[in-house]
Structure formats: structure tokens, C-alpha cells
Amino acid sequence: MPQDLPDYERDLLAALAYFLGRDPEAQARACLCMYLRQAEPRIMAQVRYYAHRLSAQTGQPLEPYDLLAMIAQSPEAVTAMLPDLEQVHHPDQPDVFS
């Protein structure tokens, strides 16, 4: 069972795993995958926006899925290309899920 979750979310995960007869760690992975699939349109809208913005900045075409791969492989390089990007969570501020 992921112990680093907030109490209520940990309890919900435990109940879901219990009712589905699944190991809590496997259920946590399944929940994350389900959330990401449901959030894919919103996430990819942001990726498309920043791919367009980078294309406009550089004059070079950048496909959204190429930017998605760049973010996964080298987020620091993408941050360097987007120095004015405002992120929601900052590394120097506490996060309940950190």
C-alpha cells in the first residue's frame, strides 16, 4: 500500500483494491493510468499549445507528440526552451503528494 498518500486517498485506494480483489500497489498503478487516460485531452491540449509556441519562436515545426517525448526524456531541455513557463507547483514549495 502506498504509505505516502494522504490518509483519505489511501483509505479510498484500499477500499477500491479490496472490492476489486487487487493488490493495492497494482490498484494504485491502475488508478494512475485511468486518470492519465481520462486527462489525455487536457494534457495534450497544453502540449499542442506549447509545441505551437515553440514552433513560432524557432520557426521550426514541432509536432505535439515530439514535444511530449522531449518532456518525458529531457524535461530540463524543455524548461530551457520555455524560460517563461509558469508551473503550478514549484520545487521549493511543499506539495501534499511529494
Side-chain angles (χ1 to χ4, degrees):
M1 170 72 68
Q3 295 301 317
D4 53 347
L5 292 175
D7 292 344
Y8 185 66
E9 286 80 359
R10 187 186 62 240
D11 293 350
L12 288 173
L13 179 62
L16 186 58
Y18 173 79
F19 289 122
L20 293 176
R22 191 180 261 163
D23 173 73
E25 292 288 334
Q27 187 60 51
R29 285 188 298 280
C31 287
L32 176 60
C33 290
M34 182 177 59
Y35 168 79
L36 291 172
R37 286 184 196 123
Q38 290 175 347
E40 190 267 350
R42 183 182 57 79
I43 296 166
M44 288 307 296
Q46 277 190 287
V47 172
R48 278 191 298 281
Y49 170 80
Y50 285 106
H52 175 77
R53 188 168 146 187
L54 285 170
S55 291
Q57 269 179 228
T58 64
Q60 301 294 317
L62 179 60
E63 293 295 320
Y65 285 98
D66 292 336
L67 179 56
L68 181 65
M70 290 169 63
I71 291 169
Q73 294 167 3
S74 182
E76 299 83 11
V78 176
T79 299
M81 294 187 309
L82 294 166
D84 299 326
L85 177 67
E86 287 292 322
Q87 295 178 327
V88 175
H89 299 284
H90 299 279
D92 58 334
Q93 296 176 345
D95 187 334
V96 69
F97 293 107
S98 291

